[in-house]
Every structure is written in structure tokens, then in C-alpha cells.
Amino acid sequence: MKIQDFKAFKKAGRKISMVTCYDHWSAKIVNASNIDCLLVGDSLAMVMHGYPTTIAATTSLMALHTTAVVKGAPDKFIVADLPFLSYRKGLSENMSSIEELMRAGAHALKLEGARGNLDLIRHVVDSGVPVQGHIGLTPQSIHQLGGFKVQGRSPQEYSDLVEQALQLEAAGCFSLVLECVPSTLALEISSKLSIPTIGIGAGLGTDGQVLVLQDMLGMNPQFKPKFLRTYLDGFDLLKNYLNEYHNDVTQLQFPTEKESYL
Ligand code: KIV
């Protein structure tokens, strides 16, 4: 998939599939799949590093993971998240973060929210860097939002999100993530924009879907939000194979002669 395909897919009514990817070995699997594009999301702070929010992600951490994913998925379009505050520090420092992630090999960058970001988005897009917007539940503002919850339910929030979506398209974003918003709102935004929307917890009316890879593979059985579909019971599956290996070792079933050097 190339940058031009995002609009073309929307025009053709072809939905876009996206998953998060944080490391080299899962990147190789996703690269071999039909998934359209990857997101090196700052959710890696939670999923890979065990933090309670995405706030712990830094530009250098994002760059390290982006490099690993880029090397494993050379055939995919890869978006990397600009982490917490990395694009709110003044133009020169913002551009250093952007440069670091693009030099790590990302094809595009994602940032959260419209307010205060529009001039930067115009500048970054004019500098040759595709930008993906992200509105609705914006995890970097979790302490201001008061928790991980559905956004855009009140009439005021609803119209504010429609307004932000239009502003992000006008500023030059090539696509827009809509996270945890009512399906009616996601549908209205998607129908008003010519750039594709990619939803997570936003219903069927968006132009594509994104899920966290480990969530869709059932690696975190405690995490069961309404919007999530798990395609594998990954946690138990892997645990059972580890137990099988443990039993083989402790019962002298591994290694056999075939698995040993003579
Ligand atoms: O960081 C992330 O994983 C994201 C997705 C939830 C869209 O931003």
C-alpha cells in the first residue's frame, strides 16, 4: 500500500486493515499477511513495557521499535506515533522528533488531537512527511479525559469532534484514526471527509479498522472492551506450549538424539 492508496481505497469503497506492530518478529509475520498497513503505536509503552498509560513512550523508544518493525516488514506502509508532548515543544524540537522517527524508517507519523497542532501539521506535510490524525479517545490526554472511555456522546463533544476532523483534513492529514466514538459520529465524520477514517471502537461506518495486534490475538485475556474481537486464544495457547516444553525437559523427552550433536 502506498500513500495514494488511502484515498483511492476510500473512493473505491475498499476498507483498510491496520494493526499495531512493535517488534521485529511479529513484523515479519504481519509482512507475510494481507494486512494493509502497520502502526507502531505508542501503546507499546503499555503492551511491551507494562506501563499503565502511553505517557511513558519517548521519541527514542518509538524510534527503536520503529526500526525493528521497518526491518521486519519491508513491504508494508508503516505509520509511527509521535509520543506524548514530542510535538508540543516548539517547532525546532518538534521537528527533531519527527526527523528521528522518519529516519527510523516510518512512512508517516500519527499525532493526537487537532487543537494547537494544525500549524505544525501543515508545516510537516509541506516538509514531505505524511501525517495521520487521531481524535476521539486520545490516550495521551488520558488524565484530562478522566479515563479510557467513549468520547463524543454529548451534542457539544459530537460537534467538536466533527469540527476537529474537518480541520485535520484541511491541514493536510492523509487519514484519520477515530478511537472509541459512537458509530453514528464515526459514520458522519467518514461521510464528510475525502480522506479515509480508520476506526478502533468506532463501528462499521469508518473506512478501515485498526486493532492492537496483541489484543486481537488474545494475549491479554483480562482486556475485553466491547469493541475488541479476539481471533486467537493466544495467551493460553502459548502457555500450553511452554508447559509442553517444560514437561519434555523435566521428563527427559527433550532433546532426543535427533536434536543432539553426535
Ligand atoms: O497507539 C496505538 O496503538 C494507537 C491505536 C489504538 C490507534 O494509537
Side-chain angles (χ1 to χ4, degrees):
M1 187 172 195
K2 296 204 165 26
I3 186 82
Q4 293 81 2
D5 294 324
F6 281 84
K7 260 194 177 173
F9 279 19
K10 174 164 181 142
K11 218 168 159 202
R14 154 71 155 80
K15 301 280 182 180
I16 298 164
S17 64
M18 185 180 218
V19 290
T20 63
C21 192
Y22 312 128
D23 62 77
H24 187 65
W25 73 274
S26 56
K28 289 209 270 190
I29 300 171
V30 181
N31 193 57
S33 77
N34 295 330
I35 294 289
D36 290 317
C37 50
L38 307 187
L39 171 66
V40 186
D42 59 355
S43 52
L44 63 80
M46 302 169 76
V47 178
M48 302 299 277
H49 297 278
Y51 289 101
T53 71
T54 60
I55 287 171
T58 60
T59 302
S60 52
L61 186 70
M62 295 303 300
L64 189 68
H65 284 273
T66 300
T67 306
V69 170
V70 166
K71 286 191 278 187
D75 306 323
K76 298 295 180 187
F77 189 90
I78 298 170
V79 183
D81 260 337
L82 280 162
F84 180 63
L85 294 187
S86 65
Y87 46 98
R88 308 285 299 191
K89 294 183 173 179
L91 189 57
S92 167
E93 251 189 282
N94 295 344
M95 291 310 285
S96 298
S97 293
I98 286 156
E99 183 173 358
E100 194 173 341
L101 291 186
M102 292 306 286
R103 289 201 196 278
H107 303 121
L109 302 179
K110 175 163 81 58
L111 55 74
E112 296 183 2
R115 228 163 274 125
N117 293 333
L118 298 173
D119 285 344
L120 178 68
I121 292 170
R122 278 187 278 269
H123 180 73
V124 173
V125 172
D126 285 347
S127 309
V129 176
V131 176
Q132 183 172 62
H134 180 165
I135 58 170
L137 173 53
T138 45
Q140 292 172 15
S141 309
I142 198 66
H143 298 307
Q144 202 154 47
L145 299 177
F148 292 94
K149 51 190 180 203
V150 177
Q151 303 295 307
R153 282 213 159 114
S154 74
Q156 199 194 332
E157 274 179 22
Y158 188 104
S159 48
D160 180 51
L161 286 172
V162 173
E163 178 67 23
Q164 284 191 53
L166 291 168
Q167 287 172 343
L168 287 166
E169 170 166 69
C173 287
F174 74 95
S175 67
L176 177 63
V177 168
L178 297 176
E179 181 166 354
C180 287
V181 295
S183 329
T184 45
L185 171 56
L187 183 64
E188 180 169 342
I189 290 175
S190 304
S191 65
K192 283 192 148 91
L193 300 187
S194 67
I195 57 169
T197 56
I198 301 189
I200 174 164
L204 198 57
T206 53
D207 303 300
Q209 300 291 331
V210 55
L211 282 177
V212 169
L213 183 65
Q214 284 78 357
D215 293 346
M216 65 170 292
L217 297 180
M219 296 300 180
N220 182 5
Q222 278 80 47
F223 185 61
K224 285 190 170 123
K226 182 175 179 183
F227 66 80
L228 178 63
R229 182 178 297 177
T230 47
Y231 289 82
L232 186 76
D233 194 1
F235 186 91
D236 279 337
L237 192 79
L238 294 191
K239 186 188 72 184
N240 292 342
Y241 284 124
L242 289 169
N243 286 342
E244 211 175 294
Y245 165 66
H246 170 81
N247 291 343
D248 287 349
V249 170
T250 55
Q251 291 163 26
L252 302 185
Q253 297 300 306
F254 174 83
T256 60
E257 212 171 272
K258 237 176 103 184
E259 291 153 334
S260 307
Y261 297 107
L262 299 176

